[in-house]
């Protein structure tokens, strides 16, 4: 039984890791200053965006989910004859139409899959499951890495689904946005009032940088700092403490909306690398994809770890 994992472009993982594990990326359409791009997590295009400073124009940027029809056509061509079982993990449904569109496409795909496989000389049945990751960015990447590990371990189809759906509630994320005003404007256009005008004003006028922490759908500000570097240090201290205390999967995921030279200069990154190596945890460090960067703004950082219930302050 060949099992394939599908994620969308909001899922942040290192390109080489995704390539090694044959991860299939469902594209998202990105529109920046009137120019349309298909975000497939191409590393060269992503680095070009950051190096050129093009992402700094993010206030004129938006993303559009593939329609159900587009997903149907793509999966019929690329997925149905390639895998016996397909797991599609989407960015949290509360922030995107990808889940709904993929679930709608799944119904039509399942109706046509048997005939398509017969025509291609493929035996056996095809099954598909669309799962709401309840995550964003590196949180979605962490779930994907854990899912790939379960697939490699030979988990059955039903066990895989149950484990993935339970595991997503154990993921904690830390997000450091560079500009709350940017997030508020993006949210306002979507009708999302989760970031208040007051918070955005304070962030812009007083140079306050928050750390937003928690299970992705219930995350809240747990710290405010006077500088981005200070916020990064707090998150690195948290991550090191959490790794030392134990994690539920041997991965820690970080995605950064910046060039690689800026990523390597992040304060505390080398200390985190050392902690991960000492504790047998693989650090999945990646550039934030174009889709993710448009959502949260250039220069942001997202870190994800899976663990038992705890507070950010437990590791400060």
């Amino acid at each position: 039984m060949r099992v394939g994992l599908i994620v969308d472009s909001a899922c942040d993982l290192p390109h080489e890791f995704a390539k090694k594990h044959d991860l299939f990326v469902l594209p998202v359409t990105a529109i920046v200053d009137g120019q349309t791009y298909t975000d497939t997590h191409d590393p060269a295009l992503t680095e070009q965006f950051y190096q050129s400073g093009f992402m700094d124009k993010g206030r004129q940027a938006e993303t559009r989910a593939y329609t159900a029809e587009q997903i149907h056509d793509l999966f019929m061509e690329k997925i149905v004859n390639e895998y016996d079982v397909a797991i599609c993990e989407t960015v949290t449904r509360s922030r995107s139409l990808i889940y709904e569109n993929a679930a709608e496409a799944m119904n039509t795909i399942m109706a046509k899959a048997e005939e398509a496989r017969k025509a291609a000389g493929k035996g056996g049945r095809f099954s598909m499951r669309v799962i709401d990751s309840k995550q964003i960015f590196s949180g979605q990447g962490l779930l994907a890495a854990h899912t790939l590990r379960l697939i490699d371990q030979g988990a059955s189809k039903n066990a895989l689904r149950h484990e993935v759906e339970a595991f997503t509630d154990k993921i904690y994320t830390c997000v450091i946005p560079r500009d709350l005003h940017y997030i508020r404007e993006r949210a306002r256009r979507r009708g999302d009032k989760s970031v208040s005008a007051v918070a955005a004003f304070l962030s812009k006028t007083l140079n306050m940088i928050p750390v937003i922490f928690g299970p992705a759908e219930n995350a809240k500000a747990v710290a405010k700092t006077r500088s981005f570097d200070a916020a990064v240090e707090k998150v690195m201290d948290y991550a090191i403490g959490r790794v030392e205390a134990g994690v539920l999967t041997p991965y820690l995921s970080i995605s950064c909306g910046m060039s690689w030279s800026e990523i390597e200069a992040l304060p505390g990154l080398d200390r985190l690398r050392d902690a991960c190596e000492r504790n047998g945890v693989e650090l999945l460090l990646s550039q934030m994809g174009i889709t993710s960067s448009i959502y949260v703004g250039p220069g942001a950082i997202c870190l994800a770890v899976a663990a038992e219930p705890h507070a950010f302050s437990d590791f400060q």
Side-chain angles (χ1 to χ4, degrees):
M1 180 178 70
R2 182 158 164 76
V3 182
L5 179 61
I6 304 162
V7 297
D8 56 61
S9 293
C11 176
D12 288 330
L13 275 173
H15 175 71
E16 290 304 319
F17 182 90
K19 184 179 179 181
K20 174 183 175 181
H21 292 280
D22 199 23
L23 192 65
F24 186 89
V25 177
L26 170 62
V28 170
T29 300
I31 303 171
V32 183
D33 286 353
Q35 298 186 51
T36 300
Y37 302 86
T38 300
D39 182 13
T40 59
H41 266 212
D42 175 76
L45 179 60
T46 303
E47 177 67 7
Q48 178 186 335
F49 266 54
Y50 290 120
Q51 288 286 358
S52 67
F54 200 57
M55 294 305 297
D56 294 340
K57 302 176 182 179
R59 288 184 178 82
Q60 304 301 320
E62 63 177 311
T63 58
R64 292 179 185 171
Y66 264 31
T67 66
E69 292 78 11
Q70 287 175 304
I71 295 172
H72 169 273
D73 292 346
L74 181 63
F75 287 6
M76 288 296 295
E77 178 186 356
K78 301 290 188 180
I79 300 297
V80 168
N81 292 328
E82 184 69 21
Y83 303 103
D84 302 308
V85 177
I87 305 293
C88 179
E89 296 175 353
T90 73
V91 66
T92 177
R93 65 191 302 183
S94 64
R95 294 290 186 265
S96 172
L97 292 174
I98 297 174
Y99 174 85
E100 282 76 8
N101 292 352
E104 182 181 339
M106 179 183 69
N107 294 328
T108 58
I109 289 168
M110 293 294 291
K112 298 179 180 179
E114 185 175 354
E115 180 181 347
R117 285 168 70 87
K118 282 183 179 179
K122 300 283 185 180
R125 296 176 62 84
F126 173 80
S127 65
M128 180 177 174
R129 170 72 61 173
V130 178
I131 297 174
D132 174 11
S133 74
K134 304 179 186 177
Q135 305 297 323
I136 55 174
F137 319 148
S138 64
Q140 191 181 354
L142 185 69
L143 180 66
H146 184 68
T147 304
L148 290 167
R149 187 166 185 261
L150 294 173
I151 292 172
D152 288 344
Q153 291 172 346
S156 69
K157 179 174 65 176
N158 289 335
L160 185 62
R161 175 172 61 87
H162 289 304
E163 170 66 16
V164 168
E165 290 178 342
F167 187 80
T168 190
D169 293 324
K170 300 172 183 177
I171 295 175
Y172 290 79
T173 58
C174 295
V175 178
I176 309 174
R178 279 283 178 98
D179 187 349
L180 278 180
H181 180 75
Y182 172 91
I183 296 177
R184 177 181 173 271
E185 286 302 305
R186 283 273 301 151
R188 182 183 59 80
R189 290 196 292 269
R190 298 193 310 270
D192 181 350
K193 300 179 181 178
S194 59
V195 181
S196 71
V198 173
F201 174 78
L202 287 174
S203 174
K204 190 165 186 177
T205 58
L206 301 180
N207 195 31
M208 297 295 288
I209 303 293
V211 175
I212 302 169
F213 168 81
E217 295 194 316
N218 297 303
K220 59 184 67 176
V222 293
K224 289 184 180 179
T225 62
R226 291 284 185 177
S227 72
F228 182 75
D229 282 358
V232 173
E233 289 277 17
K234 281 184 173 292
V235 168
M236 293 297 179
D237 287 344
Y238 159 78
I240 292 166
R242 185 63 265 180
V243 166
E244 298 282 2
V247 292
L248 298 178
T249 194
Y251 302 108
L252 188 148
S253 178
I254 306 179
S255 61
C256 309
M258 55 190 74
S259 69
W260 275 110
S261 59
E262 293 172 309
I263 291 172
E264 289 299 333
L266 288 172
L269 180 59
D270 287 339
R271 291 192 296 115
L272 178 58
R273 280 193 172 114
D274 291 343
C276 287
E277 185 174 352
R278 286 195 307 270
N279 290 276
V281 174
E282 184 174 355
L283 178 60
L284 301 174
L285 179 63
S286 66
Q287 280 187 314
M288 192 171 281
I290 295 168
T291 298
S292 307
S293 188
I294 287 174
Y295 183 88
V296 75
I301 290 178
C302 183
L303 178 147
V305 64
E308 298 294 349
H310 63 282
F312 183 81
S313 58
D314 292 343
F315 302 99
Q316 294 297 298

